Amino acid sequence: MEIPSKSTRTTSIEFIRFIAAVSIMLYHFSSMYLELDKHNYIPLAFVFVDFFFLLSGFFMMKYLMTKDEPMNSFAYTLHKAKSFYGTYTIVFSFQFIFFVLSNHLSTITKVLESLFHFKWEFLLLQGAGFIQDPQFGADYLLGQAWYLSAMLLSLIIAYPLARYFKKAFIWVICPVSIIVIYSYIIQTLGTLNIGNEYFGFILSAIPRGFAGTCAGALSYAAFDKLKDSGLVEIHRGFALTAEITCYISLAGFFVLRDHLNKQDSLFFILVFAGIILLAFLNRTPVSRFFNSHGTGSFIYLGKLSLYLYLTHWTVISAMKQFLPELPLAASISIFLGGSLIV
């Protein structure tokens, strides 16, 4: 079985990956440390998790459509997990040590009991629904790690469907799943900011991850159809307009943050899909500019995004425990600097 190779990174996507990680970090910092749930600095930043789901689906579909003998579902999912599990284990260990110290667990028995209590999270199976009424801080050590669990569990479902029923997956399962799942989430809970709720028999993180994976797979299917067709060159004006619109919308995400509601988060799934598609096509002046400038710096920031995403929760936890009432400028500086150092 051929292992997925490390592809050439697309600069613009790496930069947005970094922006996504930092936005989520500031979202958690505002809600957890500053306790600004209703007036969060980036109130819809949770939707950037879906950007990561889309990328996962895009690369999954790319792998399946470019390999004659792709890996089986277990091997592919394991390969994805191996790419970050070492770092995750280190971060999990630091957070567990912090948990032991802050809860004054003084005996080996209590420490081992607590470690066993967090077993599903250590195995990245906290999104599978094995914990009844899960709560952050009680059943999860790292609140942000639900995304990694949801991504892997979504791949377990999406990958075999895409591998064995490729056309049906792309043209039937993906569009139907995207419409049904996202509309159900919005109509039921009014926001995409879910993951810890149950939809009947399944934790909501998995349907959300699956829908994002499907959206990313559709983006790659569109990319595959367009990359050699010449349609982008023929309709370059339309492609350029679409890409500019996507980037303006992304800028509006931050500029108009006080005028957007939680239902508007769904719109940015379309924006992310458009940015990913056009960035990888690399046919318009905008994408060519972004993909050819600051290449080394943006790729470095893109790689850094995973570490920032994983480490920032522990930094916030430590700040709440030991530095609870810092001035705003000092707290943000320590938070960002601490996450970088870790």
Side-chain angles (χ1 to χ4, degrees):
M1 299 294 182
E2 188 174 356
I3 298 295
S5 59
K6 292 184 179 180
S7 58
T8 302
R9 292 177 178 263
T10 303
T11 305
S12 54
I13 295 298
E14 293 305 305
F15 181 62
I16 296 174
R17 194 197 299 264
F18 175 74
I19 294 296
V22 173
S23 298
I24 294 170
M25 289 171 61
L26 292 175
Y27 175 81
H28 288 154
F29 180 76
S30 297
S31 60
M32 291 174 60
Y33 184 82
L34 301 179
E35 299 181 352
L36 299 176
D37 286 332
K38 294 184 178 180
H39 302 285
N40 198 293
Y41 287 130
I42 312 178
L44 299 186
F46 55 80
V47 79
F48 277 115
V49 174
D50 297 273
F51 173 73
F52 295 135
F53 285 136
L54 262 73
L55 285 180
S56 177
F58 184 93
F59 289 118
M60 177 196 76
M61 208 68 231
K62 177 183 179 182
Y63 173 71
L64 286 172
M65 294 182 73
T66 55
K67 302 300 179 186
D68 294 329
E69 295 185 10
M71 293 186 289
N72 60 47
S73 179
F74 177 79
Y76 182 83
T77 306
L78 182 62
H79 175 76
K80 291 287 289 187
K82 285 171 59 179
S83 66
F84 60 79
Y85 195 73
T87 304
Y88 173 76
T89 301
I90 294 172
V91 175
F92 179 91
S93 300
F94 273 113
Q95 187 72 15
F96 181 72
I97 292 170
F98 177 79
F99 177 85
V100 169
L101 295 176
S102 60
N103 287 278
H104 309 290
L105 303 182
S106 56
T107 66
I108 295 297
T109 300
K110 290 182 179 180
V111 171
L112 292 178
E113 285 178 353
S114 297
L115 183 60
F116 187 72
H117 178 71
F118 295 115
K119 56 187 176 295
W120 297 122
E121 183 178 6
F122 179 73
L123 296 172
L124 285 174
L125 291 173
Q126 67 266 43
F130 298 150
I131 304 169
Q132 186 175 9
D133 300 323
Q135 300 296 320
F136 294 123
D139 300 297
Y140 300 146
L141 287 173
L142 297 164
Q144 85 284 27
W146 74 268
Y147 149 70
L148 299 173
S149 176
M151 180 191 68
L152 295 177
L153 293 170
S154 299
L155 284 175
I156 290 175
I157 301 170
Y159 185 87
L161 290 173
R163 182 185 178 191
Y164 295 111
F165 309 101
K166 193 172 298 180
K167 289 186 178 180
F169 178 76
I170 292 172
W171 304 117
V172 180
I173 295 174
C174 281
V176 170
S177 298
I178 291 167
I179 294 171
V180 170
I181 293 174
Y182 280 137
S183 62
Y184 180 78
I185 290 172
I186 292 296
Q187 293 298 325
T188 303
L189 298 174
T191 175
L192 285 184
N193 189 21
I194 63 168
N196 214 35
E197 303 80 4
Y198 281 99
F199 286 161
F201 64 93
I202 192 170
L203 208 63
S204 56
I206 299 177
R208 181 182 174 186
F210 183 76
T213 301
C214 286
L218 271 184
S219 294
Y220 183 80
F223 166 83
D224 188 59
K225 290 289 184 182
L226 292 172
K227 61 184 174 68
D228 298 320
S229 68
L231 288 175
V232 178
E233 283 74 12
I234 296 173
H235 303 286
R236 184 172 296 177
F238 175 79
L240 178 59
T241 301
E243 190 163 33
I244 291 174
T245 301
C246 286
Y247 278 106
I248 290 175
S249 299
L250 191 61
F253 178 89
F254 299 97
V255 175
L256 302 175
R257 62 184 184 276
D258 295 329
H259 303 280
L260 300 173
N261 57 51
K262 291 184 177 181
Q263 292 81 13
D264 292 329
S265 59
L266 185 58
F267 169 74
F268 290 97
I269 302 298
L270 182 62
V271 172
F272 294 153
I275 288 176
I276 291 170
L277 169 62
L278 293 165
F280 280 100
L281 282 173
N282 197 32
R283 302 290 173 81
T284 70
V286 174
S287 58
R288 286 177 174 169
F289 176 83
F290 284 134
N291 290 335
S292 61
H293 289 76
T295 304
S297 299
F298 289 153
I299 289 176
Y300 172 77
L301 292 176
K303 292 179 179 179
L304 190 65
S305 62
L306 171 65
Y307 304 107
L308 290 173
Y309 183 86
L310 286 175
T311 59
H312 77 276
W313 194 276
T314 301
V315 175
I316 296 175
S317 301
M319 289 179 65
K320 282 180 67 68
Q321 180 78 14
F322 301 112
L323 302 169
E325 297 181 357
L326 286 176
L328 180 61
S331 64
I332 292 179
S333 298
I334 292 174
F335 168 58
L336 293 176
S339 298
L340 283 169
I341 290 169
V342 173

